[in-house]
Amino acid sequence: MSLPDLDALWLTLQLGVVTTVLLLLIGTPLAWWLARTRTRLKPAIEAVVALPLVLPPTVLGFYLLLAFNPSSPIGSFWITLTGDTLIFSFAGLVIASVLYSLPFTVQPLQAAFENVAGEMMEAAASLRASPLDAFFSVAVPLSVRGFLTAAVLSFAHTLGEFGVVLMVGGNIPGETRVLSIAIYEHVETLNYDEAHALSLLLLLFSFCVLLFVYVFNRRYRVHAH
Amino acid sequence: MFTTKNLMSALAVISTMLVGLLAVAQAEVVRIAVASNFKPAMDELELVFEEQSGHDLLVSAGSTGKLYAQIINGAPYDVFLSADQERPRRLVEVSRAQDRFTYAVGRIVLLDPIAKSAGPDRLEQMSFRRLAIANPELAPYGQAARQVLTTLGLFEALQDRIVLGENIGQTYAFIWTGNAELGFVALSQLDPEVREQTGLVWIPPQESSDPIRQDAVLLRHGGENAAATDFINFLKSEKAKALIRGHGYETE
């Protein structure tokens, strides 16, 4: 494997890890709230979370192109903050990936929490545990599988991301040139051997990840609705 | 309510549809694979050709590399309009195509919509954050952009400000959305009235980059199809060439 390809592989792994950590931080409270809420807004919020499953990535990519541009509120705020643009940057890819992989985090977690919620939490409350204490000492240990599924799926989904990155990345080596873009470029330039090597790597990895999820977790099935 | 009158008109509608279907079935279908940059011109050519020949064109637009990969793997296209010369040449080499000719020559332009001071000075001053060009590895327009910058002696200096679109369509989108202040696109992407605006566009001198010759070939699949040959001949006609020039290309 050539050096640029190793760079792309390394960058992709970084993107996967950073995105997954952020998603767990954002997705956990969101999934918990969705599992316990009785608000009439619930279906609407669930629909918004699930949107990336059904929308073509280019739709998200196109709107991010508009949202990230230096004269937009978000884009200009980022420039003031960091001195660099959000578009064509690693940070921009992270934000895009978080949005794009959100359902892969929230849905398994919500399913796990819905199993735990209710009686278990009432029991914990009657033992005078604070809600936070109850969450960490009752809900989290019982939802380990959900957490693992969410983390693994979000990570894998981010690795395979292509359409959004193509729209907002700008193919900058070491910054936004991820594995899927590298493969695309090899196919376009007729380097089919390199394309094969990278594609096979991604294929085997994705298969192992899904196998792991199915073996380990009988309860949550991977599906795009 | 089923009256005789209603039944008659229903039969009339059905028979009209059948006649229409038969007429379509008799028209030959030609499958065309066209490089995305030429799609707008192709749309117009399609209307004219279908009008005058009665044949039916099925046009698939995509990037040259993808279309080439599809053709090599047996996609049933009759004619291939590439964005470069290399892929058609390769297809002829492996006997998958014949009759290679240049149907259009693209011109590269510097587009500067915000400052409206397009020109080599604008590039030298470097008072911008991002310059968008198409990926030179993927797109002939990207190679031409790199050549222009190299001729100006600025390619190295601008390295960290250049962002790559995967094709000129995406490069144009980067500029249109304001994510890159300026960039190199194809003249054919701009509306005729836009090209005239002062300072918006700079056309580099011809000698600063190789001409972007776009070649077409008749594919093996289209060898049996007389309508495909008709389309190739139409593409070489003066009528088609005038139309292609109207879209910001040159013809030979």
Side-chain angles (χ1 to χ4, degrees), chain A residues 163-204:
Chain A
V164 182
V165 179
L166 193 68
M167 295 284 270
V168 301
N171 197 347
I172 300 167
E175 177 86 30
T176 59
R177 186 177 182 270
V178 295
L179 211 51
S180 56
I181 301 284
I183 291 170
Y184 177 81
E185 211 175 301
H186 285 315
V187 174
E188 285 287 296
T189 50
L190 321 184
N191 297 327
Y192 294 166
D193 290 350
E194 285 90 339
H196 261 311
L198 288 183
S199 300
L200 195 63
L201 193 76
L202 206 51
L203 181 70
L204 288 174

Side-chain angles (χ1 to χ4, degrees), chain A residues 67-68 74-75 78-79 84-93 95 168:
Chain A
F68 285 177
I74 300 171
W78 189 262
I79 289 176
D84 197 12
T85 57
L86 195 49
I87 192 94
F88 314 131
S89 74
F90 183 74
L93 286 199
I95 294 177
V168 301

Side-chain angles (χ1 to χ4, degrees), chain A:
Chain A
M1 215 174 277
S2 66
L3 273 177
D5 284 352
L6 284 177
D7 265 356
L9 180 64
W10 175 228
L11 184 74
T12 308
L13 291 175
Q14 287 179 70
L15 181 67
V17 169
V18 173
T19 302
T20 306
V21 169
L22 272 177
L23 271 172
L24 287 174
L25 290 174
I26 298 165
T28 305
L30 182 57
W32 182 247
W33 179 77
L34 278 173
R36 317 225 336 137
T37 186
R38 298 229 165 76
T39 171
R40 266 186 283 173
L41 284 175
K42 184 177 166 175
I45 308 278
E46 283 179 316
V48 170
V49 169
L51 271 179
L53 292 174
V54 294
L55 277 181
T58 41
V59 171
L60 183 60
F62 178 67
Y63 283 125
L64 289 178
L65 207 54
L66 298 177
F68 285 177
N69 88 56
S71 50
S72 78
I74 300 171
S76 60
F77 171 74
W78 189 262
I79 289 176
T80 340
L81 203 70
T82 65
D84 197 12
T85 57
L86 195 49
I87 192 94
F88 314 131
S89 74
F90 183 74
L93 286 199
V94 170
I95 294 177
S97 307
V98 164
L99 291 169
Y100 184 57
S101 297
L102 190 64
F104 290 82
T105 308
V106 171
Q107 290 187 353
L109 282 179
Q110 193 184 332
F113 290 155
E114 274 165 357
N115 283 329
V116 175
E119 283 179 37
M120 283 284 187
M121 295 314 287
E122 276 161 30
S126 66
L127 293 171
R128 301 270 168 83
S130 71
L132 204 64
D133 186 23
F135 174 76
F136 280 109
S137 49
V138 178
V140 172
L142 287 172
S143 311
V144 166
R145 283 182 172 189
F147 274 101
L148 208 59
T149 308
V152 169
L153 283 182
S154 306
F155 183 74
H157 189 238
T158 304
L159 290 200
E161 186 183 340
F162 173 70
V164 182
V165 179
L166 193 68
M167 295 284 270
V168 301
N171 197 347
I172 300 167
E175 177 86 30
T176 59
R177 186 177 182 270
V178 295
L179 211 51
S180 56
I181 301 284
I183 291 170
Y184 177 81
E185 211 175 301
H186 285 315
V187 174
E188 285 287 296
T189 50
L190 321 184
N191 297 327
Y192 294 166
D193 290 350
E194 285 90 339
H196 261 311
L198 288 183
S199 300
L200 195 63
L201 193 76
L202 206 51
L203 181 70
L204 288 174
F205 178 82
S206 304
F207 175 75
C208 292
V209 163
L210 290 176
L211 188 68
F212 170 84
V213 169
Y214 281 120
V215 167
F216 189 83
N217 192 342
R218 293 241 144 279
R219 256 189 335 205
Y220 182 77
R221 292 276 175 222
V222 181
H223 45 62
H225 303 284

